Coordinates of all heavy atoms in Angstrom, one line a residue:
Chain B
V101 N 62.4 -21.2 -40.6 CA 63.3 -20.1 -40.4 C 64.5 -20.4 -39.5 O 65.5 -19.7 -39.4 CB 62.6 -18.8 -39.9 CG1 61.6 -18.3 -40.9 CG2 61.9 -19.1 -38.5
H102 N 64.4 -21.5 -38.8 CA 65.5 -21.9 -37.9 C 66.6 -22.6 -38.6 O 67.7 -22.9 -38.1 CB 65.0 -22.7 -36.7 CG 64.2 -21.9 -35.8 ND1 64.8 -21.0 -34.9 CD2 62.9 -21.8 -35.6 CE1 63.8 -20.4 -34.2 NE2 62.7 -20.9 -34.6
R103 N 66.4 -22.9 -39.9 CA 67.5 -23.5 -40.7 C 67.9 -22.7 -41.9 O 68.4 -23.2 -42.8 CB 67.0 -24.9 -41.1 CG 66.9 -25.8 -39.9 CD 66.3 -27.2 -40.2 NE 65.9 -27.7 -38.9 CZ 66.0 -28.9 -38.5 NH1 66.5 -29.8 -39.3 NH2 65.6 -29.3 -37.3
L104 N 67.7 -21.4 -41.8 CA 68.1 -20.5 -42.9 C 69.6 -20.3 -42.7 O 70.2 -20.4 -41.7 CB 67.4 -19.2 -42.8 CG 65.9 -19.2 -43.0 CD1 65.4 -17.8 -42.8 CD2 65.6 -19.7 -44.4
A105 N 70.2 -20.0 -43.9 CA 71.6 -19.6 -43.9 C 71.8 -18.5 -44.9 O 71.1 -18.5 -45.9 CB 72.5 -20.8 -44.2
I106 N 72.8 -17.6 -44.7 CA 73.1 -16.6 -45.7 C 73.4 -17.3 -47.0 O 74.1 -18.3 -47.1 CB 74.3 -15.7 -45.2 CG1 73.8 -14.8 -44.1 CG2 74.9 -14.9 -46.3 CD1 74.8 -13.9 -43.4
G107 N 72.9 -16.8 -48.1 CA 73.1 -17.4 -49.4 C 72.0 -18.3 -49.9 O 71.9 -18.7 -51.0
D108 N 71.1 -18.7 -48.9 CA 70.0 -19.6 -49.3 C 69.1 -19.0 -50.3 O 68.9 -17.8 -50.3 CB 69.2 -19.9 -48.1 CG 69.7 -21.1 -47.2 OD1 70.8 -21.5 -47.6 OD2 69.1 -21.4 -46.2
A109 N 68.5 -19.8 -51.2 CA 67.6 -19.4 -52.2 C 66.2 -19.1 -51.5 O 65.9 -19.8 -50.5 CB 67.4 -20.5 -53.2
V110 N 65.6 -18.0 -51.9 CA 64.3 -17.7 -51.4 C 63.4 -17.3 -52.6 O 63.9 -17.0 -53.7 CB 64.3 -16.5 -50.4 CG1 65.0 -16.9 -49.1 CG2 65.0 -15.3 -51.0
Q111 N 62.1 -17.4 -52.4 CA 61.2 -17.0 -53.5 C 60.0 -16.2 -53.0 O 59.6 -16.3 -51.8 CB 60.8 -18.2 -54.3 CG 59.9 -19.2 -53.6 CD 59.8 -20.5 -54.4 OE1 60.7 -21.2 -54.6 NE2 58.6 -20.6 -54.9
L112 N 59.4 -15.5 -53.9 CA 58.4 -14.5 -53.5 C 57.2 -15.2 -52.9 O 56.7 -16.3 -53.3 CB 57.9 -13.9 -54.8 CG 57.3 -12.5 -54.8 CD1 58.1 -11.5 -54.1 CD2 57.0 -12.1 -56.2
R113 N 56.6 -14.6 -51.9 CA 55.3 -15.1 -51.3 C 54.6 -13.8 -50.7 O 54.8 -13.5 -49.5 CB 55.6 -16.1 -50.2 CG 54.3 -16.7 -49.6 CD 54.6 -17.9 -48.7 NE 53.5 -18.3 -47.9 CZ 52.5 -19.1 -48.3 NH1 52.5 -19.5 -49.6 NH2 51.6 -19.5 -47.5
F114 N 53.9 -13.1 -51.5 CA 53.2 -11.9 -51.0 C 52.3 -12.3 -49.9 O 51.7 -13.3 -49.9 CB 52.4 -11.2 -52.1 CG 53.2 -10.3 -53.0 CD1 53.6 -10.7 -54.3 CD2 53.6 -9.1 -52.6 CE1 54.4 -9.9 -55.1 CE2 54.4 -8.2 -53.4 CZ 54.8 -8.7 -54.6
Q115 N 52.2 -11.4 -48.9 CA 51.3 -11.6 -47.7 C 50.3 -10.4 -47.6 O 50.7 -9.3 -47.7 CB 52.2 -11.6 -46.5 CG 53.0 -12.8 -46.3 CD 52.2 -14.0 -46.2 OE1 51.4 -14.2 -45.3 NE2 52.4 -14.9 -47.2
P116 N 49.0 -10.8 -47.4 CA 48.1 -9.7 -47.3 C 48.3 -9.0 -45.9 O 48.5 -9.7 -44.9 CB 46.7 -10.4 -47.3 CG 47.0 -11.8 -47.0 CD 48.4 -12.1 -47.4
D117 N 48.2 -7.7 -45.8 CA 48.3 -7.0 -44.6 C 46.8 -7.0 -44.0 O 45.9 -7.5 -44.7 CB 48.9 -5.6 -44.7 CG 48.1 -4.6 -45.5 OD1 46.9 -5.0 -45.8 OD2 48.6 -3.6 -45.9
P118 N 46.6 -6.4 -42.8 CA 45.2 -6.4 -42.2 C 44.2 -5.8 -43.2 O 43.0 -6.2 -43.1 CB 45.4 -5.7 -40.9 CG 46.8 -5.8 -40.6 CD 47.6 -5.8 -41.9
Q119 N 44.6 -4.9 -44.1 CA 43.6 -4.3 -45.0 C 43.5 -5.2 -46.3 O 42.7 -4.8 -47.2 CB 44.0 -2.9 -45.4 CG 43.8 -1.9 -44.3 CD 44.8 -2.0 -43.2 OE1 46.0 -2.2 -43.4 NE2 44.4 -1.9 -41.9
G120 N 44.2 -6.3 -46.4 CA 44.1 -7.1 -47.5 C 45.1 -6.8 -48.7 O 45.1 -7.4 -49.7
T121 N 45.9 -5.7 -48.5 CA 46.8 -5.3 -49.5 C 48.0 -6.3 -49.5 O 48.6 -6.5 -48.4 CB 47.3 -3.9 -49.2 OG1 46.2 -3.1 -49.1 CG2 48.2 -3.4 -50.4
P122 N 48.4 -6.8 -50.6 CA 49.6 -7.7 -50.6 C 50.9 -7.0 -50.3 O 51.1 -5.9 -50.9 CB 49.6 -8.3 -52.0 CG 48.8 -7.4 -52.9 CD 47.8 -6.7 -52.0
R123 N 51.6 -7.5 -49.4 CA 52.9 -6.9 -49.0 C 54.0 -7.9 -49.3 O 53.9 -9.1 -49.2 CB 52.9 -6.6 -47.5 CG 51.7 -5.6 -47.1 CD 52.0 -4.2 -47.6 NE 53.0 -3.6 -46.8 CZ 52.9 -2.9 -45.7 NH1 51.6 -2.7 -45.3 NH2 53.9 -2.3 -45.1
L124 N 55.2 -7.3 -49.6 CA 56.3 -8.0 -50.1 C 56.8 -9.0 -49.0 O 57.1 -8.6 -47.9 CB 57.4 -7.1 -50.5 CG 58.7 -7.7 -51.2 CD1 58.3 -8.3 -52.5 CD2 59.7 -6.6 -51.4
A125 N 57.0 -10.2 -49.3 CA 57.5 -11.2 -48.4 C 58.1 -12.4 -49.2 O 57.8 -12.5 -50.4 CB 56.5 -11.7 -47.4
F126 N 58.9 -13.2 -48.6 CA 59.5 -14.3 -49.3 C 59.4 -15.6 -48.5 O 59.0 -15.5 -47.3 CB 61.0 -14.0 -49.5 CG 61.3 -13.0 -50.6 CD1 61.1 -11.6 -50.3 CD2 61.6 -13.4 -51.9 CE1 61.3 -10.7 -51.3 CE2 61.8 -12.4 -52.9 CZ 61.7 -11.1 -52.6
T127 N 59.6 -16.7 -49.1 CA 59.6 -18.0 -48.4 C 60.7 -18.8 -49.1 O 61.4 -18.3 -49.9 CB 58.2 -18.7 -48.5 OG1 58.2 -19.8 -47.6 CG2 57.9 -19.2 -49.9
T128 N 60.8 -20.1 -48.6 CA 61.9 -20.9 -49.2 C 61.3 -21.9 -50.2 O 60.1 -22.3 -50.1 CB 62.6 -21.7 -48.2 OG1 61.7 -22.6 -47.6 CG2 63.2 -20.8 -47.1
P129 N 62.1 -22.3 -51.2 CA 61.6 -23.3 -52.2 C 61.2 -24.6 -51.5 O 60.3 -25.3 -51.9 CB 62.8 -23.6 -53.1 CG 63.7 -22.4 -52.9 CD 63.5 -21.9 -51.5
E130 N 61.9 -25.0 -50.4 CA 61.6 -26.2 -49.6 C 60.2 -26.1 -49.0 O 59.4 -27.0 -49.1 CB 62.6 -26.4 -48.5 CG 64.0 -26.7 -48.9 CD 64.8 -25.5 -49.4 OE1 64.4 -24.4 -49.1 OE2 65.8 -25.7 -50.1
A131 N 59.9 -24.9 -48.5 CA 58.6 -24.7 -47.9 C 57.5 -24.7 -49.0 O 56.4 -25.3 -48.8 CB 58.5 -23.4 -47.1
E132 N 57.8 -24.2 -50.1 CA 56.8 -24.2 -51.2 C 56.5 -25.6 -51.7 O 55.4 -26.0 -52.0 CB 57.3 -23.3 -52.4 CG 57.1 -21.8 -52.2 CD 55.7 -21.4 -52.2 OE1 55.1 -21.1 -53.3 OE2 55.1 -21.3 -51.1
A133 N 57.6 -26.4 -51.8 CA 57.4 -27.8 -52.2 C 56.6 -28.5 -51.1 O 55.7 -29.3 -51.5 CB 58.8 -28.5 -52.3
A134 N 56.8 -28.3 -49.9 CA 56.0 -28.9 -48.8 C 54.6 -28.5 -48.9 O 53.7 -29.3 -48.7 CB 56.6 -28.6 -47.4
R135 N 54.3 -27.2 -49.2 CA 52.9 -26.8 -49.4 C 52.3 -27.4 -50.6 O 51.1 -27.8 -50.5 CB 52.9 -25.3 -49.5 CG 52.8 -24.6 -48.1 CD 52.6 -23.1 -48.3 NE 53.8 -22.4 -48.7 CZ 54.7 -22.0 -47.9 NH1 54.6 -22.1 -46.6 NH2 55.8 -21.4 -48.3
A136 N 53.0 -27.6 -51.7 CA 52.4 -28.3 -52.8 C 52.1 -29.7 -52.5 O 51.0 -30.2 -52.8 CB 53.4 -28.2 -54.0
Y137 N 53.0 -30.4 -51.8 CA 52.7 -31.7 -51.3 C 51.5 -31.7 -50.4 O 50.6 -32.6 -50.5 CB 53.9 -32.3 -50.5 CG 53.6 -33.5 -49.7 CD1 53.5 -34.7 -50.2 CD2 53.4 -33.3 -48.3 CE1 53.1 -35.8 -49.5 CE2 53.1 -34.4 -47.5 CZ 52.9 -35.7 -48.1 OH 52.6 -36.7 -47.3
S138 N 51.4 -30.8 -49.5 CA 50.3 -30.7 -48.5 C 49.0 -30.6 -49.3 O 48.0 -31.2 -49.0 CB 50.4 -29.6 -47.6 OG 51.6 -29.7 -46.8
A139 N 49.0 -29.8 -50.3 CA 47.7 -29.6 -51.1 C 47.3 -30.9 -51.7 O 46.1 -31.3 -51.7 CB 48.0 -28.5 -52.2
R140 N 48.3 -31.7 -52.2 CA 47.9 -33.0 -52.8 C 47.4 -33.9 -51.7 O 46.5 -34.7 -52.0 CB 49.2 -33.6 -53.5 CG 49.6 -32.8 -54.7 CD 50.6 -33.7 -55.6 NE 51.8 -34.0 -54.9 CZ 52.9 -33.2 -54.8 NH1 52.9 -32.0 -55.4 NH2 54.0 -33.6 -54.2
A141 N 48.0 -33.8 -50.5 CA 47.6 -34.7 -49.4 C 46.2 -34.4 -49.1 O 45.4 -35.4 -48.8 CB 48.5 -34.5 -48.2
F142 N 45.8 -33.2 -49.0 CA 44.4 -32.9 -48.7 C 43.4 -33.3 -49.8 O 42.3 -33.7 -49.6 CB 44.2 -31.4 -48.4 CG 44.7 -31.0 -47.0 CD1 46.0 -30.6 -46.8 CD2 43.8 -31.0 -46.0 CE1 46.5 -30.3 -45.5 CE2 44.2 -30.6 -44.7 CZ 45.6 -30.3 -44.5
E143 N 43.9 -33.1 -51.1 CA 43.1 -33.6 -52.2 C 42.8 -35.1 -52.1 O 41.7 -35.5 -52.5 CB 43.8 -33.3 -53.5 CG 43.7 -31.9 -54.0 CD 44.7 -31.5 -55.1 OE1 45.3 -32.4 -55.7 OE2 44.9 -30.3 -55.3
A144 N 43.8 -35.9 -51.7 CA 43.6 -37.3 -51.6 C 42.5 -37.6 -50.6 O 41.7 -38.5 -50.8 CB 44.9 -38.0 -51.1
V145 N 42.5 -36.8 -49.5 CA 41.4 -37.1 -48.5 C 40.0 -36.7 -49.1 O 39.1 -37.5 -48.9 CB 41.7 -36.2 -47.2 CG1 40.5 -36.2 -46.3 CG2 43.0 -36.7 -46.5
D146 N 40.0 -35.6 -49.8 CA 38.7 -35.3 -50.5 C 38.3 -36.3 -51.5 O 37.1 -36.7 -51.6 CB 38.9 -33.9 -51.3 CG 39.0 -32.7 -50.3 OD1 38.6 -32.9 -49.2 OD2 39.5 -31.7 -50.8
A147 N 39.3 -36.9 -52.2 CA 39.0 -37.9 -53.2 C 38.4 -39.1 -52.6 O 37.5 -39.8 -53.1 CB 40.3 -38.2 -54.0
D148 N 38.9 -39.5 -51.4 CA 38.4 -40.6 -50.7 C 36.9 -40.4 -50.4 O 36.1 -41.3 -50.6 CB 39.1 -40.8 -49.3 CG 40.4 -41.5 -49.5 OD1 40.7 -42.0 -50.6 OD2 41.2 -41.6 -48.5
R149 N 36.6 -39.2 -49.9 CA 35.2 -38.9 -49.6 C 34.3 -39.0 -50.8 O 33.2 -39.6 -50.8 CB 35.1 -37.5 -49.0 CG 33.7 -37.1 -48.5 CD 33.5 -35.7 -48.1 NE 33.8 -34.8 -49.2 CZ 34.8 -33.9 -49.3 NH1 35.7 -33.8 -48.3 NH2 35.0 -33.2 -50.4
E150 N 34.8 -38.4 -51.9 CA 34.0 -38.4 -53.1 C 33.9 -39.9 -53.7 O 32.8 -40.2 -54.2 CB 34.7 -37.5 -54.2 CG 34.5 -36.1 -53.9 CD 35.5 -35.1 -54.5 OE1 36.3 -35.6 -55.4 OE2 35.6 -34.0 -54.1
G151 N 34.9 -40.7 -53.4 CA 34.8 -42.1 -53.9 C 33.8 -42.8 -53.1 O 33.0 -43.6 -53.7
F152 N 33.7 -42.6 -51.8 CA 32.7 -43.3 -51.0 C 31.3 -42.8 -51.5 O 30.4 -43.6 -51.6 CB 32.8 -43.0 -49.5 CG 34.1 -43.5 -48.9 CD1 34.9 -42.7 -48.1 CD2 34.5 -44.9 -49.1 CE1 36.0 -43.2 -47.5 CE2 35.6 -45.4 -48.5 CZ 36.4 -44.5 -47.7
A153 N 31.2 -41.5 -51.6 CA 29.9 -41.0 -52.0 C 29.4 -41.4 -53.4 O 28.2 -41.6 -53.6 CB 29.9 -39.4 -51.9
A154 N 30.4 -41.6 -54.3 CA 30.0 -42.1 -55.6 C 29.4 -43.5 -55.6 O 28.5 -43.8 -56.4 CB 31.3 -42.0 -56.5
S155 N 29.9 -44.3 -54.7 CA 29.4 -45.7 -54.7 C 28.0 -45.8 -54.0 O 27.2 -46.6 -54.2 CB 30.4 -46.7 -54.1 OG 30.7 -46.3 -52.8
C156 N 27.8 -44.9 -53.0 CA 26.5 -44.9 -52.4 C 26.2 -43.5 -51.8 O 26.9 -43.1 -50.8 CB 26.4 -46.0 -51.3 SG 27.8 -46.2 -50.3
A157 N 25.3 -42.8 -52.3 CA 25.0 -41.4 -51.8 C 24.6 -41.4 -50.4 O 23.7 -42.2 -50.0 CB 24.0 -40.7 -52.7
P158 N 25.2 -40.6 -49.5 CA 24.8 -40.6 -48.1 C 23.4 -40.1 -47.9 O 23.0 -39.1 -48.6 CB 25.9 -39.7 -47.5 CG 26.5 -39.0 -48.6 CD 26.3 -39.7 -49.8
A159 N 22.8 -40.6 -46.9 CA 21.4 -40.2 -46.5 C 21.5 -38.8 -45.9 O 22.5 -38.4 -45.3 CB 20.8 -41.2 -45.5
P160 N 20.4 -38.0 -46.0 CA 20.5 -36.7 -45.4 C 20.5 -36.7 -43.9 O 20.0 -37.6 -43.3 CB 19.2 -36.0 -45.9 CG 18.3 -37.1 -46.3 CD 19.2 -38.3 -46.7
V161 N 21.2 -35.7 -43.3 CA 21.3 -35.7 -41.8 C 20.8 -34.3 -41.4 O 21.4 -33.3 -41.7 CB 22.7 -35.9 -41.3 CG1 22.8 -35.6 -39.8 CG2 23.2 -37.3 -41.6
D162 N 19.6 -34.3 -40.7 CA 19.1 -33.0 -40.2 C 19.2 -32.9 -38.7 O 19.3 -31.8 -38.1 CB 17.6 -32.8 -40.6 CG 17.5 -32.8 -42.1 OD1 18.4 -32.2 -42.8 OD2 16.6 -33.4 -42.7

Side-chain angles (χ1 to χ4, degrees):
Chain B
V101 295
H102 289 286
R103 288 173 202 222
L104 294 176
I106 287 177
D108 276 3
V110 291
Q111 66 189 72
L112 202 58
R113 181 172 169 80
F114 277 105
Q115 290 297 301
D117 67 10
Q119 285 74 44
T121 307
R123 301 287 290 269
L124 187 63
F126 288 78
T127 190
T128 63
E130 294 77 16
E132 282 293 273
R135 272 187 284 274
Y137 162 79
S138 299
R140 292 195 299 276
F142 282 88
E143 279 164 17
V145 171
D146 287 342
D148 279 352
R149 183 188 64 244
E150 285 156 13
F152 295 133
S155 58
C156 41
V161 173
D162 299 319

